[in-house]
C-alpha cells in the first residue's frame, strides 16, 4: 500500500523526471518581498500580465497572519502553540483526520481550483473563512504544485524557515524584491541572541516532558541530551554572571590562560554602562570557542546537540501534542542555537572569525532615574541596579555564509530601486552577479526638483553627530522645515537620523513656538515605534494629507516609513532628508563588522570598514529619497539638508537619478525662496502644470 503522501511524492518525482526527459521542466519561481503589503502590490501587477491564469500561484504567510481559528490568549501564548496543539488527530477510526481544528480538517477545500488566478493575503483569508478551510495549510499545500510562490523574503533566506516550510530552492528561480538590505538580512539570519532566561525556561519545559512516558525510547534519549546541554549552558551563564574569568574554564596551562586573556577586562561587572547595558566583547572568537569547549557545550558536543535539537524540533512540528507543555519559544531557541553554532563550528571552526561573540548585561534600576550614559562606577551602579539579565549575542559578520545556501537555485535575481551603491554587493554576499541592470528613472526631468540646503546667509551648517548639538543648527532646521511646508502643497516627509533627535527637536520647538507654527501650516505626525501605533499614525496621515492643509510626517532613516512605503502624488510632494545617516559606531555589530572588513579586505575582496560604513549610510539615504515621485505622472522635490553635500565625496553614492537631477543645485535658506532654481520656483511651476493637466483631463 502506498500512503497518500508517498503517492503524492511518487507522482511529483515522476512529473519531474518525465519533464527532464522531455526537456520541459519548469522551475518554480519564488518571489520574496519584505512585507505582505508589498506582496499585495506585486500580485496586483502579476494580475495585469498575460501570465495570470496561465500559471498557478500561491502565497505563504505565518499563522499569525492567516490563522482563522479563534485565539484565546488566556490559554495559548502564541498562535503557533495553539495550532500545533490543535492539529494532532484526536480520533482513531474511520475518520482518522479529525483534529481539534475544523479548518485544518477541511484544509484541502482551499485549492487552485477554487482560488482566483491571482490573490493576495486578504483574499486568501477571506476565501478560507468562506470555505471554512485553513488558509495557512491550504496555501502551503498549493505551493507543492504552484508555478509561482509569493512569500516574505525571509522565508527564502532563513534556513530554519525554509526547512520548517519544506521550501527547496534547488533548481528554482528566486526573486528577492526590495533587496537593498539583503546583506544585513543575511547577517541577521545567522546571528543569534540567547538570554539566560530563555535557557532556563526551556529547561523547565523539557523537565516537564522528561517525566512523560514515550513509546519510543529515542524521544527520552534526545530530551535528556538536550537537558544536559541546556543545563551546561545555564551553568556557563551563572559562572560568567559571577565572574567572567571563571567562565574561561579550567586550563591546566596557566601560562596559556594568562597569555590569552591578559589584555581582557575579566569581569562584565567592570564594563562601562551605556544606556543600561554593559557589553563585554571577546577580542578573539577563538577565546569564546574555548570557553564553550571547556564547559562541554563546544565543538565536540555540537554534533550530538544538533541531532537532539533536530529530532526534538521535528517532533514539535509534526506531533506537538506529545510534547504538551513545550512552547514554540523553546523550539525557536533550539533552532536558532543549532543554526548559529553550526555556522560558528563549520569545517572544524575554520571560519569562526565570521562571528563576533559579545555578552550584554541589561539592567533595570531601582528608581526612575537612569544611570548616566558614561562613566558609571561599579559602586554607584550596583546600588542602582534592581534587576539584571545576561544575553549572549553571536553576531554574524559575513552575509556570504547564508547566501551560499541559496546557490542551489537556478537563478537569483535581486531587485530594488535603491541597490546603489553596488560596489560591495557581490563580495559581501560571496556571490557573482553576471547581469546587472541599472536603468534610468522613469520620471521626466522637469517634474523633479532635487537640491541641497547647505546652511544660511551666516554660513554652512553640518548635521553630523556633533553638528546637531548646536542650537543654531536645530533652529535653522526648524526654519527650513517651516519654509518647505509653506511652499509645498499637501504631503511633506522629513527624515531624521534618530528617534532621540526627533524627540529633542519636538521638545525644543514646542518651547520656541515653532512646533505650533508647523501645526498651523500642516497636520503634523511622527513615526511611531510599535507596529500598531504606526498603522494608526499612517491611517491618520493618509486621511489628512489630501486636504488643503496637507500633512507633515517626521520619520527616521531605516524606520518603517523610509523602507519600502509608497508615498505617491499628494502623499509626498517634498521629502526633506536631514544629515547623512551613518550607522551608529557604538553599536557592537557595526564596530565588529568594520574591524572584520579591515581584516579581510584583501582575502575576501571587501571594502574597508570605513567605506562599508559609508555604503550603509547611502543605502539608507537613497531609500528615504526614493519615497516620493513614484510613477511617470508623479512629481515632487527632495531637499538634502547638510553642508557636507558641497563635497563630491558626499554625493558620490547617491542614486544615479538623484545625482543627475541634483547637479550643482546647492542652496542656502534664503536662496530656496529667491533663486530661479530654488524650491519656491519649482513649486510655483508645478502648480501651473497641475492646473493645466487638470483642465486636460
Ligand atoms: S490549522 Fe489553521 S486555522 Fe487551525 S489553528 Fe492551525 S493555522 Fe489556525
Amino acid at each position: 500500500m502506498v500512503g497518500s503522501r508517498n503517492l503524492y511524492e511518487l507522482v511529483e518525482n515522476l512529473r519531474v523526471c518525465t519533464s527532464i526527459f522531455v526537456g520541459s521542466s519548469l522551475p518554480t519561481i519564488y518571489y520574496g518581498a519584505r512585507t505582505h503589503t508589498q506582496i499585495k502590490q506585486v500580485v496586483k501587477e502579476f494580475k495585469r500580465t498575460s501570465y495570470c491564469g496561465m500559471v498557478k500561484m500561491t502565497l505563504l504567510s505565518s499563522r499569525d497572519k492567516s490563522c482563522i481559528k479563534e485565539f484565546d490568549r488566556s490559554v495559548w501564548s502564541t498562535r503557533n502553540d495553539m495550532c500545533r496543539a490543535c492539529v494532532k488527530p484526536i480520533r482513531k477510526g474511520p475518520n482518522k483526520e479529525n483534529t481539534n481544528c475544523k479548518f485544518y480538517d477541511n484544509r484541502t477545500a482551499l485549492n487552485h481550483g477554487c482560488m482566483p488566478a491571482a490573490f493576495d493575503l486578504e483574499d486568501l483569508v477571506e476565501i478560507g473563512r468562506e470555505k471554512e478551510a485553513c488558509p495557512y495549510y491550504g496555501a502551503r499545500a498549493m505551493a507543492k504544485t504552484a508555478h509561482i510562490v509569493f512569500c516574505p523574503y525571509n522565508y527564502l533566506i532563513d534556513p530554519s524557515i525554509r526547512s520548517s516550510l519544506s521550501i527547496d530552492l534547488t533548481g528554482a528561480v528566486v526573486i528577492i524584491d526590495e533587496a537593498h538590505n539583503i546583506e544585513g538580512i543575511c547577517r541577521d539570519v545567522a546571528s543569534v541572541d540567547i538570554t539566560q532566561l530563555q535557557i532556563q525556561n526551556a529547561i523547565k519545559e523539557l523537565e516537564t516532558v522528561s517525566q512523560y512516558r514515550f513509546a519510543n525510547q529515542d524521544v527520552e534519549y534526545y530530551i535528556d541530551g538536550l537537558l544536559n546541554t541546556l543545563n551546561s549552558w545555564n551553568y556557563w551563564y551563572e559562572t560568567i554572571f559571577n565572574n567572567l574569568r571563571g567562565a574561561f574554564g579550567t586550563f591546566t596551562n596557566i601560562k596559556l590562560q594568562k597569555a590569552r586573556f591578559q589584555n581582557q577586562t575579566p569581569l562584565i561587572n567592570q564594563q562601562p554602562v551605556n544606556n543600561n547595558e554593559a557589553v563585554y566583547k571577546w577580542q578573539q572568537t577563538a577565546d569564546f570557542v574555548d570557553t564553550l569547549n571547556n564547559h562541554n557545550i563546544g565543538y565536540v558536543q555540537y554534533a550530538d546537540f544538533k541531532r537532539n535539537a533536530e529530532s526534538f524540533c521535528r517532533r514539535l512540528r509534526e506531533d506537538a501534542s506529545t510534547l504538551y507543555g513545550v512552547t514554540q519559544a523553546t523550539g525557536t531557541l533550539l533552532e536558532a542555537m543549532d543554526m548559529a553554532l553550526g555556522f560558528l563550528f563549520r569545517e572544524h571552526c575554520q571560519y569562526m572569525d565570521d562571528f563576533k561573540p559579545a555578552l550584554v548585561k541589561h539592567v533595570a534600576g531601582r528608581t526612575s532615574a537612569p544611570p548616566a550614559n558614561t562613566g558609571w562606577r561599579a559602586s554607584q551602579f550596583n546600588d542602582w541596579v534592581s534587576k539584571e539579565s545576561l544575553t549572549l549575542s553571536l553576531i554574524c559578520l559575513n552575509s556570504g555564509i547564508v547566501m551560499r545556501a541559496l546557490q542551489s537555485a537556478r537563478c537569483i535575481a535581486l531587485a530594488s530601486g535603491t541597490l546603489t551603491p553596488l560596489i560591495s554587493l557581490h563580495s559581501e554576499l560571496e556571490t557573482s552577479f553576471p547581469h546587472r541592470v541599472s536603468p534610468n528613472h522613469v520620471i521626466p526631468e522637469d517634474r523633479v526638483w532635487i537640491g541641497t540646503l547647505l546652511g544660511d546667509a551666516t554660513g554652512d551648517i553640518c548635521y553630523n553627530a556633533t553638528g546637531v548639538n548646536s542650537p543654531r543648527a536645530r533652529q535653522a532646521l526648524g526654519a527650513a522645515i517651516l519654509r518647505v511646508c509653506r511652499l509645498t502643497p499637501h504631503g511633506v516627509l522629513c527624515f531624521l537620523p534618530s528617534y532621540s533627535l526627533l524627540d529633542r527637536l519636538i521638545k525644543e520647538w514646542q518651547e520656541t513656538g515653532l512646533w505650533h507654527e508647523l501645526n498651523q501650516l500642516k497636520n503634523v505626525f511622527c513615526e511611531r515605534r510599535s507596529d500598531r501605533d504606526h498603522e494608526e499614525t499612517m491611517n491618520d496621515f493618509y486621511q489628512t494629507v489630501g486636504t488643503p492643509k496637507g500633512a507633515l510626517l517626521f520619520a527616521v532613516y531605516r524606520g518603517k516609513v523610509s523602507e519600502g512605503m509608497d508615498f505617491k502624488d499628494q502623499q509626498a510632494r517634498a521629502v526633506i532628508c536631514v544629515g547623512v545617516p551613518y550607522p551608529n559606531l557604538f553599536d557592537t555589530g557595526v564596530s565588529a563588522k568594520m574591524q572584520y572588513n579591515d581584516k579581510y579586505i584583501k582575502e575576501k575582496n571587501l571594502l574597508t570598514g570605513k567605506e562599508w560604513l559609508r555604503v550603509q549610510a547611502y543605502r539608507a539615504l537613497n531609500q528615504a529619497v526614493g519615497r516620493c515621485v513614484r510613477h511617470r505622472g508623479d512629481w515632487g522635490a527632495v531637499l538634502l539638508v547638510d553642508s557636507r553635500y558641497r563635497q563630491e565625496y558626499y554625493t558620490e553614492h547617491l542614486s544615479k537619478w538623484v545625482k543627475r537631477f541634483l547637479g550643482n543645485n546647492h542652496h542656502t535658506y534664503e536662496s530656496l525662496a529667491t533663486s530661479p532654481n530654488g524650491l519656491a520656483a519649482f513649486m510655483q511651476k508645478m502648480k501651473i502644470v497641475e492646473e493645466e493637466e487638470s483642465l486636460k483631463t
Side-chain angles (χ1 to χ4, degrees):
M1 284 292 287
V2 184
S4 59
R5 170 81 202 152
N6 291 345
L7 183 62
Y8 172 81
E9 276 169 7
L10 183 67
V11 171
E12 269 303 283
N13 287 340
L14 279 174
R15 186 181 71 80
V16 172
C17 294
T18 311
S19 58
I20 288 168
F21 282 123
V22 297
S24 63
S25 171
L26 280 179
T28 308
I29 298 172
Y30 285 90
Y31 195 111
R34 198 167 72 96
T35 61
H36 278 287
T37 314
Q38 284 159 353
I39 293 174
K40 189 184 170 107
Q41 285 170 9
V42 177
V43 168
K44 206 166 127 197
E45 295 303 318
F46 168 65
K47 214 182 256 179
R48 288 157 33 133
T49 68
S50 55
Y51 302 111
C52 184
M54 289 165 60
V55 293
K56 289 184 257 178
M57 67 145 283
T58 189
L59 69 88
L60 302 176
S61 62
S62 64
R63 289 180 179 91
D64 277 338
K65 300 252 182 237
S66 56
C67 175
I68 53 174
K69 187 175 164 68
E70 198 178 332
F71 177 54
D72 186 347
R73 274 180 202 284
S74 62
V75 180
W76 307 105
S77 48
T78 64
R79 280 187 190 275
N80 279 342
D81 290 332
M82 175 184 78
C83 178
R84 283 178 180 156
C86 286
V87 298
K88 163 97 174 133
I90 50 172
R91 266 204 303 271
K92 295 243 159 75
N95 191 357
K96 280 189 189 165
E97 284 295 302
N98 270 7
T99 67
N100 269 328
C101 180
K102 64 175 181 178
F103 307 114
Y104 179 80
D105 299 340
N106 193 32
R107 63 195 181 281
T108 50
L110 263 192
N111 52 50
H112 291 296
C114 73
M115 296 302 292
F119 57 90
D120 59 29
L121 184 62
E122 282 167 31
D123 302 327
L124 176 73
V125 172
E126 197 184 310
I127 298 171
R129 282 189 206 283
E130 264 168 36
K131 300 209 167 286
E132 301 203 324
C134 172
Y136 174 78
Y137 280 105
R140 277 181 65 171
M142 281 189 268
K144 288 170 188 158
T145 50
H147 300 104
I148 305 181
V149 179
F150 294 96
C151 59
Y153 55 41
N154 55 328
Y155 288 27
L156 307 176
I157 297 169
D158 189 329
S160 55
I161 302 183
R162 278 206 307 273
S163 140
S164 70
L165 292 177
S166 312
I167 295 175
D168 180 6
L169 298 181
T170 312
V173 173
V174 178
I175 301 169
I176 298 180
D177 200 358
E178 296 291 335
H180 45 273
N181 288 333
I182 182 129
E183 289 173 29
I185 296 159
C186 288
R187 286 196 302 273
D188 287 349
V189 158
S191 302
V192 66
D193 282 345
I194 308 168
T195 67
Q196 190 181 15
L197 190 65
Q198 284 174 310
I199 297 276
Q200 288 168 342
N201 286 342
I203 290 173
K204 270 187 221 153
E205 292 180 7
L206 287 172
E207 277 173 350
T208 308
V209 288
S210 70
Q211 313 292 322
Y212 301 166
R213 284 186 173 279
F214 293 94
N216 185 342
Q217 293 270 303
D218 282 0
V219 186
E220 287 168 23
Y221 177 78
Y222 57 69
I223 290 174
D224 283 349
L226 286 175
L227 264 172
N228 277 339
T229 308
L230 293 177
N231 276 316
S232 300
W233 272 96
N234 192 36
Y235 177 69
W236 182 80
Y237 276 95
E238 292 292 335
T239 319
I240 286 175
F241 210 75
N242 297 328
N243 182 338
L244 195 61
R245 191 188 291 279
F248 293 136
T250 50
F251 283 94
T252 44
N253 185 340
I254 297 296
K255 264 191 187 165
L256 173 67
Q257 183 182 2
K258 279 191 177 159
R260 188 163 279 167
F261 303 121
Q262 65 185 355
N263 294 326
Q264 298 180 25
T265 310
L267 300 171
I268 192 157
N269 289 341
Q270 289 176 6
Q271 297 300 309
V273 180
N274 289 308
N275 298 323
N276 301 6
E277 280 185 2
V279 180
Y280 178 88
K281 286 179 269 184
W282 279 267
Q283 296 302 318
Q284 303 292 332
T285 308
D287 296 338
F288 166 72
V289 169
D290 279 345
T291 73
L292 299 187
N293 288 338
N294 285 301
H295 278 73
N296 298 324
I297 44 177
Y299 169 67
V300 176
Q301 294 78 21
Y302 171 68
D304 277 346
F305 168 71
K306 182 178 178 57
R307 197 173 44 246
N308 293 335
E310 280 180 354
S311 305
F312 183 84
C313 292
R314 197 177 313 117
R315 180 169 270 260
L316 190 63
R317 269 198 301 273
E318 294 169 1
D319 199 4
S321 57
T322 59
L323 298 174
Y324 190 77
V326 176
T327 59
Q328 174 61 31
T330 293
T332 306
L333 172 73
L334 293 173
E335 279 174 347
M337 286 173 75
D338 177 20
M339 184 172 61
L341 294 175
F343 282 134
L344 179 74
F345 296 142
R346 76 192 192 285
E347 296 184 38
H348 308 286
C349 301
Q350 259 193 76
Y351 303 106
M352 60 184 160
D353 281 350
D354 285 347
F355 283 84
K356 182 76 182 174
L359 267 174
V360 184
K361 186 161 81 169
H362 304 264
V363 293
R366 286 178 209 289
T367 66
S368 56
N373 273 351
T374 52
W376 259 65
R377 290 199 311 272
S379 56
Q380 286 172 302
F381 180 71
N382 290 340
D383 278 350
W384 184 79
V385 169
S386 72
K387 201 170 150 202
E388 49 193 14
S389 63
L390 208 51
T391 302
L392 168 67
S393 288
L394 260 180
I395 305 163
C396 175
L397 306 170
N398 179 3
S399 328
I401 59 178
V402 171
M403 200 63 191
R404 226 172 282 151
L406 266 65
Q407 288 172 2
S408 62
R410 174 184 292 215
C411 118
I412 302 172
L414 303 183
S416 172
T418 47
L419 271 181
T420 314
L422 279 171
I423 42 174
S424 65
L425 204 63
H426 64 283
S427 52
E428 285 287 343
L429 296 176
E430 295 184 352
T431 307
S432 63
F433 293 96
H435 305 289
R436 299 178 193 190
V437 183
S438 185
N440 286 328
H441 203 289
V442 294
I443 311 293
E445 201 161 335
D446 56 356
R447 297 181 78 86
V448 184
W449 181 93
I450 297 187
T452 63
L453 177 61
L454 304 176
D456 57 22
T458 60
D460 281 1
I461 303 177
C462 173
Y463 288 90
N464 60 14
T466 320
V468 293
N469 287 326
S470 134
R472 176 181 162 237
R474 297 195 300 274
Q475 275 163 21
L477 178 61
I481 296 170
L482 200 63
R483 171 156 284 181
V484 174
C485 287
R486 273 207 186 101
L487 296 173
T488 309
H490 302 293
V492 176
L493 308 181
C494 178
F495 290 100
L496 295 163
S498 66
Y499 284 112
S500 60
L501 177 62
L502 175 58
D503 293 343
R504 186 176 176 188
L505 290 173
I506 293 173
K507 195 164 170 262
E508 204 166 291
W509 292 344
Q510 278 170 342
E511 284 163 13
T512 61
L514 191 130
W515 190 249
H516 176 70
E517 283 184 76
L518 283 173
N519 275 277
Q520 284 199 317
L521 270 178
K522 298 274 181 201
N523 296 290
V524 183
F525 300 94
C526 296
E527 179 175 13
R528 311 278 284 277
R529 291 167 174 90
S530 89
D531 281 354
R532 230 179 69 200
D533 293 346
H534 171 68
E535 222 178 294
E536 223 172 80
T537 304
M538 293 316 299
N539 284 342
D540 293 344
F541 172 82
Y542 288 131
Q543 267 174 21
T544 53
V545 74
T547 62
K549 188 176 178 183
L552 163 66
L553 174 61
F554 284 101
V556 296
Y557 294 108
R558 301 183 183 85
K560 295 183 185 72
V561 171
S562 77
E563 298 279 329
M565 281 194 79
D566 201 21
F567 293 89
K568 59 178 190 232
D569 303 321
Q570 294 181 339
Q571 291 168 351
R573 287 303 185 202
V575 173
I576 305 168
C577 294
V578 182
V580 183
Y582 282 92
N584 181 1
L585 273 175
F586 295 105
D587 181 288
T588 307
V590 171
S591 57
K593 175 66 182 154
M594 288 175 71
Q595 284 166 8
Y596 178 86
N597 275 38
D598 285 338
K599 185 172 173 184
Y600 290 104
I601 180 169
K602 285 218 172 89
E603 198 179 315
K604 292 179 185 270
N605 194 23
L606 298 175
L607 296 176
T608 61
K610 199 173 158 208
E611 195 51 28
W612 172 84
L613 195 77
R614 186 157 77 114
V615 166
Q616 305 313 305
Y618 281 86
R619 289 232 172 93
L621 179 64
N622 289 331
Q623 265 296 299
V625 169
R627 290 315 89 208
C628 77
V629 280
R630 306 289 292 176
H631 60 89
R632 187 171 280 277
D634 205 351
W635 64 268
V638 176
L639 182 65
L640 303 169
V641 182
D642 200 299
S643 60
R644 285 173 288 179
Y645 291 116
R646 193 189 285 289
Q647 304 159 46
E648 206 188 320
Y649 177 83
Y650 286 96
T651 54
E652 188 187 350
H653 288 325
L654 288 170
S655 295
K656 203 167 91 180
W657 68 277
V658 178
K659 228 174 1 178
R660 185 161 69 91
F661 290 141
L662 172 63
N664 283 318
N665 198 19
H666 299 302
H667 289 277
T668 59
Y669 172 75
E670 293 75 14
S671 73
L672 277 182
T674 55
S675 160
N677 298 325
L679 182 66
F682 173 76
M683 289 296 172
Q684 275 158 16
K685 180 188 84 180
M686 290 317 297
K687 195 176 166 203
I688 297 166
V689 171
E690 263 205 331
E691 280 167 7
E692 285 171 359
E693 283 176 353
S694 69
L695 285 176
K696 278 187 211 156
T697 51

